[in-house]
Amino acid sequence: MSEKVDVVLLTKNSLKPCLKECIDSAYAQLPVGRLIVVDGGSTDGTLDFVKSYPNVEVIDDRDGNRATARQKGIEVAKTTWHLHLDSDVILCKGWWAAAQKLLQPDVGALWGVTIPGDKHVYNITKSMAMLYRKNVLDYIIAQQHLKRYLTHDTLIRTETVRDIHIPKDLHIWEDHYIGQHIVAKKFKWLTTREPCCIHYFHERRGFEDFVNSGRLARRVNSYSSRQVLLRLGLAVPKSLWIILVTGDFKAAKLQLENYIGLTKGWYGSV
Protein backbone atom coordinates (compact mmCIF):
# COMPACT_ATOMS: atom_id res chain seq x y z
CA MET A 1 0.00 0.00 0.00
CA SER A 2 1.60 3.27 -1.12
CA GLU A 3 -1.23 5.61 -0.13
CA LYS A 4 -0.39 8.49 2.16
CA VAL A 5 -1.45 8.54 5.82
CA ASP A 6 -2.56 11.68 7.66
CA VAL A 7 -1.15 11.89 11.19
CA VAL A 8 -3.21 13.53 13.97
CA LEU A 9 -1.04 14.92 16.77
CA LEU A 10 -2.54 16.65 19.83
CA THR A 11 -0.25 19.18 21.49
CA LYS A 12 -0.11 21.65 24.34
CA ASN A 13 3.36 22.75 25.45
CA SER A 14 4.63 19.41 24.16
CA LEU A 15 8.30 20.05 23.37
CA LYS A 16 9.25 17.78 26.27
CA PRO A 17 9.88 14.96 26.73
CA CYS A 18 10.37 13.91 23.10
CA LEU A 19 8.37 15.89 20.51
CA LYS A 20 11.26 15.97 18.03
CA GLU A 21 11.84 12.23 18.31
CA CYS A 22 8.08 11.64 18.05
CA ILE A 23 7.62 13.59 14.81
CA ASP A 24 10.89 12.34 13.34
CA SER A 25 9.71 8.77 13.92
CA ALA A 26 6.41 9.49 12.15
CA TYR A 27 8.12 10.86 9.04
CA ALA A 28 10.69 8.05 9.11
CA GLN A 29 8.20 5.21 9.53
CA LEU A 30 5.10 6.39 7.64
CA PRO A 31 4.20 7.82 4.21
CA VAL A 32 2.90 10.98 5.88
CA GLY A 33 0.28 12.90 3.93
CA ARG A 34 -0.25 15.74 6.37
CA LEU A 35 0.83 16.24 9.95
CA ILE A 36 -2.39 17.56 11.51
CA VAL A 37 -1.44 19.32 14.74
CA VAL A 38 -4.38 20.18 16.99
CA ASP A 39 -2.97 22.58 19.58
CA GLY A 40 -4.50 23.48 22.92
CA GLY A 41 -2.73 26.84 23.30
CA SER A 42 1.00 26.13 23.46
CA THR A 43 3.32 28.88 24.70
CA ASP A 44 6.62 26.94 24.83
CA GLY A 45 7.57 27.05 21.16
CA THR A 46 5.73 23.87 20.19
CA LEU A 47 3.98 25.52 17.23
CA ASP A 48 7.12 27.10 15.80
CA PHE A 49 8.81 23.72 16.05
CA VAL A 50 6.10 21.66 14.33
CA LYS A 51 5.89 24.18 11.49
CA SER A 52 9.47 23.31 10.56
CA TYR A 53 8.22 19.98 9.14
CA PRO A 54 6.68 19.53 5.68
CA ASN A 55 2.93 19.29 5.03
CA VAL A 56 1.85 20.56 8.46
CA GLU A 57 -1.67 21.80 9.17
CA VAL A 58 -2.18 23.48 12.55
CA ILE A 59 -5.64 23.66 14.10
CA ASP A 60 -6.27 26.00 17.04
CA ASP A 61 -8.13 24.35 19.91
CA ARG A 62 -6.98 26.55 22.78
CA ASP A 63 -10.43 26.62 24.38
CA GLY A 64 -10.95 22.88 24.04
CA ASN A 65 -9.72 19.64 25.56
CA ARG A 66 -8.70 16.17 24.38
CA ALA A 67 -12.24 15.36 23.28
CA THR A 68 -12.64 18.46 21.12
CA ALA A 69 -9.09 18.17 19.79
CA ARG A 70 -9.56 14.52 18.84
CA GLN A 71 -12.86 15.40 17.11
CA LYS A 72 -11.25 18.20 15.09
CA GLY A 73 -8.39 15.96 14.02
CA ILE A 74 -10.79 13.28 12.82
CA GLU A 75 -12.90 15.79 10.91
CA VAL A 76 -10.00 17.03 8.78
CA ALA A 77 -8.30 13.67 8.11
CA LYS A 78 -8.70 12.81 4.42
CA THR A 79 -6.67 9.66 3.82
CA THR A 80 -8.17 6.15 3.89
CA TRP A 81 -6.25 5.45 7.09
CA HIS A 82 -5.09 8.11 9.54
CA LEU A 83 -2.84 7.74 12.56
CA HIS A 84 -3.47 9.14 16.03
CA LEU A 85 -0.06 9.70 17.59
CA ASP A 86 0.57 11.01 21.10
CA SER A 87 3.28 13.67 21.38
CA ASP A 88 5.18 11.59 23.97
CA VAL A 89 5.36 8.49 21.76
CA ILE A 90 8.20 7.31 19.51
CA LEU A 91 7.30 4.81 16.79
CA CYS A 92 9.59 1.80 16.63
CA LYS A 93 11.46 0.90 13.46
CA GLY A 94 9.35 -0.90 10.87
CA TRP A 95 6.04 0.39 12.30
CA TRP A 96 4.24 0.95 8.99
CA ALA A 97 5.63 -2.19 7.35
CA ALA A 98 4.31 -4.31 10.22
CA ALA A 99 0.95 -2.52 10.29
CA GLN A 100 0.26 -2.92 6.57
CA LYS A 101 0.27 -6.70 6.86
CA LEU A 102 -2.71 -6.54 9.24
CA LEU A 103 -5.01 -4.07 7.49
CA GLN A 104 -7.72 -6.43 6.28
CA PRO A 105 -11.15 -5.18 5.08
CA ASP A 106 -12.78 -5.99 8.43
CA VAL A 107 -10.21 -4.04 10.48
CA GLY A 108 -11.34 -0.62 11.66
CA ALA A 109 -8.37 0.28 13.84
CA LEU A 110 -4.96 -1.02 14.81
CA TRP A 111 -3.24 -0.13 18.08
CA GLY A 112 0.49 -0.83 18.28
CA VAL A 113 1.44 -1.91 21.79
CA THR A 114 3.11 0.83 23.88
CA ILE A 115 6.26 0.03 25.82
CA PRO A 116 6.51 2.41 28.81
CA GLY A 117 9.55 4.68 28.54
CA ASP A 118 8.98 6.15 32.01
CA LYS A 119 10.90 4.13 34.62
CA HIS A 120 8.15 4.11 37.22
CA VAL A 121 5.36 3.18 34.81
CA TYR A 122 7.58 0.45 33.37
CA ASN A 123 8.21 -0.93 36.87
CA ILE A 124 4.46 -1.11 37.48
CA THR A 125 4.00 -2.94 34.19
CA LYS A 126 6.93 -5.28 34.81
CA SER A 127 5.66 -6.15 38.28
CA MET A 128 2.13 -6.86 37.08
CA ALA A 129 3.45 -8.97 34.20
CA MET A 130 5.39 -11.08 36.69
CA LEU A 131 2.32 -11.37 38.92
CA TYR A 132 0.24 -12.72 36.04
CA ARG A 133 3.16 -14.78 34.67
CA LYS A 134 3.29 -13.03 31.32
CA ASN A 135 5.91 -11.39 29.15
CA VAL A 136 5.72 -7.58 29.54
CA LEU A 137 4.43 -7.02 25.99
CA ASP A 138 1.93 -9.85 26.25
CA TYR A 139 0.68 -8.42 29.55
CA ILE A 140 0.16 -4.97 28.00
CA ILE A 141 -1.69 -6.44 25.03
CA ALA A 142 -3.85 -8.67 27.24
CA GLN A 143 -5.01 -5.62 29.27
CA GLN A 144 -5.61 -7.83 32.28
CA HIS A 145 -9.16 -7.32 33.65
CA LEU A 146 -9.90 -4.44 31.25
CA LYS A 147 -10.67 -3.95 27.57
CA ARG A 148 -9.51 -0.41 26.86
CA TYR A 149 -9.31 1.22 23.46
CA LEU A 150 -6.22 3.41 23.26
CA THR A 151 -4.84 5.91 20.75
CA HIS A 152 -1.16 6.33 21.60
CA ASP A 153 -0.18 5.07 18.13
CA THR A 154 -3.38 3.96 16.46
CA LEU A 155 -4.29 3.66 12.80
CA ILE A 156 -7.97 4.29 12.17
CA ARG A 157 -9.96 3.55 9.03
CA THR A 158 -11.25 7.06 8.42
CA GLU A 159 -14.67 6.04 7.09
CA THR A 160 -15.51 4.35 10.43
CA VAL A 161 -15.38 7.67 12.33
CA ARG A 162 -16.75 10.10 9.77
CA ASP A 163 -20.01 10.34 11.71
CA ILE A 164 -18.57 10.32 15.23
CA HIS A 165 -19.47 13.06 17.73
CA ILE A 166 -17.26 12.74 20.80
CA PRO A 167 -18.96 14.23 23.89
CA LYS A 168 -17.14 17.47 24.68
CA ASP A 169 -16.83 16.71 28.39
CA LEU A 170 -15.05 13.41 27.70
CA HIS A 171 -11.55 14.85 28.05
CA ILE A 172 -10.31 11.49 29.33
CA TRP A 173 -11.42 8.18 27.78
CA GLU A 174 -12.22 9.90 24.50
CA ASP A 175 -10.04 7.22 22.92
CA HIS A 176 -12.22 4.50 24.42
CA TYR A 177 -15.31 6.22 23.04
CA ILE A 178 -13.74 6.14 19.57
CA GLY A 179 -13.06 2.42 19.93
CA GLN A 180 -16.61 1.71 21.04
CA HIS A 181 -17.88 3.61 18.00
CA ILE A 182 -15.73 1.60 15.59
CA VAL A 183 -16.53 -1.79 17.12
CA ALA A 184 -20.26 -0.96 17.13
CA LYS A 185 -19.98 -0.78 13.34
CA LYS A 186 -18.76 -4.41 13.29
CA PHE A 187 -15.14 -3.53 12.52
CA LYS A 188 -12.26 -5.08 14.45
CA TRP A 189 -10.00 -3.12 16.77
CA LEU A 190 -6.66 -4.93 16.67
CA THR A 191 -4.09 -4.82 19.47
CA THR A 192 -0.73 -6.00 18.25
CA ARG A 193 2.74 -6.97 19.50
CA GLU A 194 4.15 -5.54 16.28
CA PRO A 195 4.12 -2.70 15.41
CA CYS A 196 4.95 -1.06 18.73
CA CYS A 197 6.10 2.24 20.19
CA ILE A 198 7.85 3.73 23.22
CA HIS A 199 5.58 5.87 25.39
CA TYR A 200 7.08 8.41 27.82
CA PHE A 201 3.91 9.39 29.75
CA HIS A 202 4.78 13.07 30.12
CA GLU A 203 1.41 14.13 31.51
CA ARG A 204 0.99 14.81 35.23
CA ARG A 205 -0.48 11.82 37.03
CA GLY A 206 -1.73 13.09 40.40
CA PHE A 207 -4.45 11.67 42.61
CA GLU A 208 -7.16 14.00 41.28
CA ASP A 209 -6.31 12.89 37.74
CA PHE A 210 -7.06 9.31 38.75
CA VAL A 211 -10.31 10.41 40.43
CA ASN A 212 -11.38 12.22 37.28
CA SER A 213 -10.45 9.18 35.20
CA GLY A 214 -12.67 7.03 37.41
CA ARG A 215 -15.59 9.40 36.99
CA LEU A 216 -15.31 9.37 33.21
CA ALA A 217 -14.67 5.62 33.13
CA ARG A 218 -18.16 5.19 34.56
CA ARG A 219 -19.44 7.56 31.89
CA VAL A 220 -18.25 5.22 29.10
CA ASN A 221 -19.11 1.99 30.96
CA SER A 222 -15.55 0.71 30.85
CA TYR A 223 -15.72 -1.27 34.12
CA SER A 224 -18.31 -3.10 36.16
CA SER A 225 -18.82 -2.15 39.83
CA ARG A 226 -17.34 -5.54 40.74
CA GLN A 227 -14.15 -4.76 38.79
CA VAL A 228 -13.81 -1.41 40.54
CA LEU A 229 -14.22 -2.97 43.99
CA LEU A 230 -11.71 -5.66 43.05
CA ARG A 231 -9.16 -2.98 42.23
CA LEU A 232 -9.80 -1.26 45.54
CA GLY A 233 -9.19 -4.55 47.35
CA LEU A 234 -5.96 -5.11 45.41
CA ALA A 235 -4.61 -1.56 45.79
CA VAL A 236 -2.39 -2.27 48.81
CA PRO A 237 -1.33 -5.85 47.88
CA LYS A 238 -0.29 -4.79 44.37
CA SER A 239 1.60 -1.76 45.67
CA LEU A 240 3.50 -3.95 48.12
CA TRP A 241 4.23 -6.40 45.30
CA ILE A 242 5.74 -3.59 43.20
CA ILE A 243 8.04 -2.64 46.08
CA LEU A 244 9.03 -6.27 46.60
CA VAL A 245 9.83 -6.82 42.91
CA THR A 246 11.40 -3.48 41.96
CA GLY A 247 12.05 -1.48 45.14
CA ASP A 248 10.37 1.46 43.39
CA PHE A 249 8.30 3.32 46.02
CA LYS A 250 7.15 6.00 43.55
CA ALA A 251 5.76 3.31 41.24
CA ALA A 252 3.98 1.70 44.21
CA LYS A 253 2.48 5.07 45.16
CA LEU A 254 1.23 5.58 41.60
CA GLN A 255 -0.41 2.16 41.65
CA LEU A 256 -2.08 2.86 45.01
CA GLU A 257 -3.35 6.28 43.95
CA ASN A 258 -4.59 4.88 40.65
CA TYR A 259 -6.86 2.26 42.21
CA ILE A 260 -8.08 4.40 45.11
CA GLY A 261 -8.67 7.40 42.82
CA LEU A 262 -10.52 5.21 40.31
CA THR A 263 -12.85 3.98 43.05
CA LYS A 264 -13.47 7.46 44.43
CA GLY A 265 -14.25 8.85 40.98
CA TRP A 266 -16.43 5.89 40.01
CA TYR A 267 -18.68 5.99 43.07
CA GLY A 268 -18.51 9.77 43.45
CA SER A 269 -20.20 10.10 40.05
CA VAL A 270 -23.28 8.10 41.06
Side-chain angles (χ1 to χ4, degrees), residues 48-62:
D48 288 337
F49 178 75
V50 299
K51 289 175 183 177
S52 68
Y53 287 86
N55 304 321
V56 175
E57 179 175 345
V58 175
I59 299 173
D60 186 350
D61 192 47
R62 72 186 66 191

Side-chain angles (χ1 to χ4, degrees), residues 4-270:
K4 298 291 186 179
V5 175
D6 285 342
V7 177
V8 175
L9 182 73
L10 311 189
T11 59
K12 184 175 182 180
N13 295 331
S14 300
L15 284 178
K16 296 181 180 179
C18 59
L19 184 61
K20 181 181 186 303
E21 293 82 358
C22 170
I23 299 177
D24 284 350
S25 74
Y27 279 90
Q29 299 305 322
L30 292 158
V32 177
R34 289 174 300 153
L35 178 64
I36 301 167
V37 179
V38 189
D39 188 75
S42 291
T43 57
D44 68 340
T46 289
L47 292 181
D48 288 337
F49 178 75
V50 299
K51 289 175 183 177
S52 68
Y53 287 86
N55 304 321
V56 175
E57 179 175 345
V58 175
I59 299 173
D60 186 350
D61 192 47
R62 72 186 66 191
D63 296 321
N65 55 38
R66 289 183 67 87
T68 59
R70 196 76 69 185
Q71 180 74 40
K72 288 180 178 180
I74 288 171
E75 287 175 355
V76 301
K78 296 179 180 177
T79 52
T80 302
W81 291 89
H82 68 276
L83 178 75
H84 287 258
L85 181 65
D86 281 3
S87 63
D88 53 1
V89 158
I90 301 173
L91 298 179
C92 294
K93 187 175 181 180
W95 200 99
W96 177 238
Q100 283 182 283
K101 299 174 184 177
L102 303 171
L103 302 183
Q104 301 301 317
D106 61 345
V107 173
L110 181 151
W111 172 66
V113 66
T114 62
I115 304 167
D118 177 87
K119 178 182 74 172
H120 305 296
V121 177
Y122 181 82
N123 281 339
I124 293 173
T125 306
K126 174 184 174 182
S127 302
M128 294 304 104
M130 291 177 64
L131 181 65
Y132 293 106
R133 299 182 180 181
K134 290 181 177 291
N135 171 278
V136 170
L137 287 184
D138 291 336
Y139 170 75
I140 296 171
I141 292 172
Q143 299 191 65
Q144 206 78 22
H145 309 308
L146 171 66
K147 179 64 176 178
R148 171 80 188 267
Y149 302 113
L150 299 162
T151 51
H152 306 116
D153 64 325
T154 301
L155 271 176
I156 291 180
R157 188 184 295 275
T158 304
E159 69 177 74
T160 66
V161 289
R162 276 293 176 224
D163 60 343
I164 197 170
H165 298 286
I166 304 171
K168 292 182 178 180
D169 64 335
L170 205 62
H171 56 92
I172 306 174
W173 294 84
E174 88 293 341
D175 46 7
H176 191 70
Y177 186 89
I178 293 169
Q180 290 175 320
H181 183 87
I182 292 171
V183 171
K185 292 190 168 186
K186 308 302 181 184
F187 283 92
K188 293 180 180 177
W189 180 290
L190 296 185
T191 57
T192 69
R193 189 185 183 97
E194 290 185 2
C196 62
C197 69
I198 308 296
H199 188 196
Y200 283 93
F201 297 94
H202 78 286
E203 295 160 335
R204 188 176 71 84
R205 297 165 66 86
F207 182 69
E208 288 305 317
D209 298 300
F210 293 125
V211 173
N212 197 30
S213 180
R215 179 180 65 82
L216 293 175
R218 187 180 185 103
R219 173 97 151 72
V220 296
N221 301 311
S222 60
Y223 299 94
S224 67
S225 292
R226 180 179 179 278
Q227 288 175 315
V228 173
L229 291 175
L230 177 63
R231 280 163 171 72
L232 180 62
L234 291 174
V236 172
K238 282 192 173 183
S239 297
L240 292 174
W241 172 253
I242 292 168
I243 293 171
L244 178 65
V245 171
T246 68
D248 189 338
F249 284 86
K250 184 173 181 179
K253 182 173 180 285
L254 276 173
Q255 179 68 50
L256 188 67
E257 289 182 339
N258 186 354
Y259 279 6
I260 294 175
L262 166 69
T263 306
K264 181 178 178 181
W266 180 274
Y267 284 101
S269 63
V270 175

